[in-house]
Amino acid sequence: LQSSYVICNQEGMVLRRLPSMSQEMAERYVNCTMPLAAKGKNVVRDLDPKIDLRNIRIRMKRKEVLLSVDNEFLIALVQHWTPSTAQYVSDRPTNN
């Protein structure tokens, strides 16, 4: 899979998924991301009760997971990515 998505309700039941993704894989993503999203919401709420966490971005070695958190639904987008091979040039002058 190059990219995929899963939509689940607040109970963790998979409502929609990419057709080429197996139900087992979709449930695995839900089981991993729901507790993480809940903990993230709690941390943000503890830091500032006025702010509500809506999006989480997790970058791993070969995948990137984007979570959109709502009171009723969780949307997980999974993308495969490769790091850029370009070298960045710093704008700062070097001390010679």
Side-chain angles (χ1 to χ4, degrees):
L1 295 173
Q2 286 302 317
S3 62
S4 56
Y5 67 90
V6 178
I7 301 172
C8 68
N9 63 12
Q10 61 184 352
E11 287 85 33
M13 188 172 83
V14 174
L15 303 175
R16 298 247 193 277
R17 61 185 163 82
L18 188 69
S20 61
M21 176 187 259
S22 70
Q23 181 70 22
E24 181 183 340
M25 181 63 77
E27 289 172 357
R28 192 178 313 163
Y29 275 113
V30 169
N31 291 334
C32 290
T33 58
M34 284 206 61
L36 181 63
K39 288 178 184 179
K41 283 185 82 145
N42 290 338
V43 167
V44 170
R45 187 185 60 233
D46 290 347
L47 292 173
D48 189 347
K50 298 177 205 164
I51 297 175
D52 190 24
L53 181 70
R54 303 303 249 161
N55 298 299
I56 301 172
R57 179 180 175 192
I58 305 160
R59 185 176 278 185
M60 296 168 276
K61 211 173 211 181
R62 294 197 175 131
K63 293 181 185 176
E64 181 176 48
V65 179
L66 306 167
L67 301 176
S68 183
V69 183
D70 189 76
N71 291 335
E72 296 182 39
F73 303 103
L74 175 99
I75 301 171
L77 303 171
V78 182
Q79 305 180 103
H80 285 257
W81 72 282
T82 54
S84 174
T85 57
Q87 299 227 348
Y88 295 100
V89 179
S90 175
D91 293 336
R92 295 183 189 178
T94 57
N95 295 337
N96 290 335

